[in-house]
Amino acid sequence: MIKKKGRSKIAALPIRYHKKKGLQICLITSRKHKHWIVPTGKPEKKLSNSDVAQLEAYEEAGVLGRASRKQRFSHRTRSLSKQVERNLTLYPLKVRKELKHWPEDNQRSRKWIKVSNLAKHLGDISLAKKITHQLL
């Protein structure tokens, strides 16, 4: 099977600190398969990558905050079909507000997960391990 090289993707990593549950990450469901993922989009010419991450967090997860430009990290990932490899750049986003309604609220679900439990929920186990390593 030949693997195709795909385009780079930008992802938001919405985080918050909960007094009782500790550091948490906001996950959303994918549109087609309903797997738990992080908000992800394509680079845009008129926006910085951190601005793209903020926009995706708003549109897909309904959370607002500022994405870090300095604390970003990359991860090599494959599409669900395993046919396309992509470079995913993640931007931690400190959430300051969670909206009741957002552009894709009728297409996706949202939930908060403790960072230590991320591997049990996120569809990409290697990505879950990388995020956990970066944040803890």
Side-chain angles (χ1 to χ4, degrees):
M1 198 176 342
I2 298 172
K3 292 183 180 123
K4 300 174 190 173
K5 193 172 184 179
R7 293 185 176 198
S8 295
K9 298 286 240 170
I10 306 300
L13 191 56
I15 56 175
R16 71 177 181 189
Y17 186 80
H18 189 274
K19 289 180 183 177
K20 294 182 181 178
K21 298 178 183 177
L23 191 61
Q24 295 182 307
I25 294 177
C26 181
L27 298 180
I28 57 169
T29 53
S30 63
R31 285 185 184 144
K32 286 185 181 179
H33 304 288
K34 301 299 179 191
H35 295 285
W36 291 104
I37 62 171
V38 292
T40 307
K42 297 176 185 174
E44 296 186 24
K45 289 182 180 180
K46 294 185 179 184
L47 294 175
S48 70
N49 287 346
S50 60
D51 288 341
V52 170
Q54 288 175 191
L55 180 62
E56 295 301 329
Y58 161 68
E59 290 176 348
E60 296 182 0
V63 294
L64 302 175
R66 171 126 350 254
S68 173
R69 292 174 190 249
K70 295 180 181 180
Q71 294 181 333
R72 69 182 185 266
F73 59 96
S74 295
H75 179 72
R76 198 87 181 132
T77 188
R78 290 189 184 139
S79 65
L80 288 173
S81 66
K82 308 273 189 224
Q83 297 295 314
V84 179
E85 290 186 346
R86 290 189 177 100
N87 189 49
L88 182 66
T89 304
L90 295 103
Y91 290 82
L93 181 135
K94 188 175 182 181
V95 175
R96 60 178 168 78
K97 187 172 184 178
E98 189 174 347
L99 304 173
K100 290 183 181 180
H101 300 287
W102 64 94
E104 297 183 15
D105 67 356
N106 62 338
Q107 301 169 33
R108 303 178 187 274
S109 296
R110 162 182 75 194
K111 72 177 175 179
W112 289 93
I113 300 296
K114 286 174 52 173
V115 173
S116 59
N117 293 335
L118 192 58
K120 296 176 187 175
H121 300 276
L122 193 62
D124 184 336
I125 300 298
S126 65
L127 178 58
K129 288 179 181 179
K130 181 124 186 197
I131 291 170
T132 301
H133 176 74
Q134 291 289 327
L135 296 180
L136 295 182

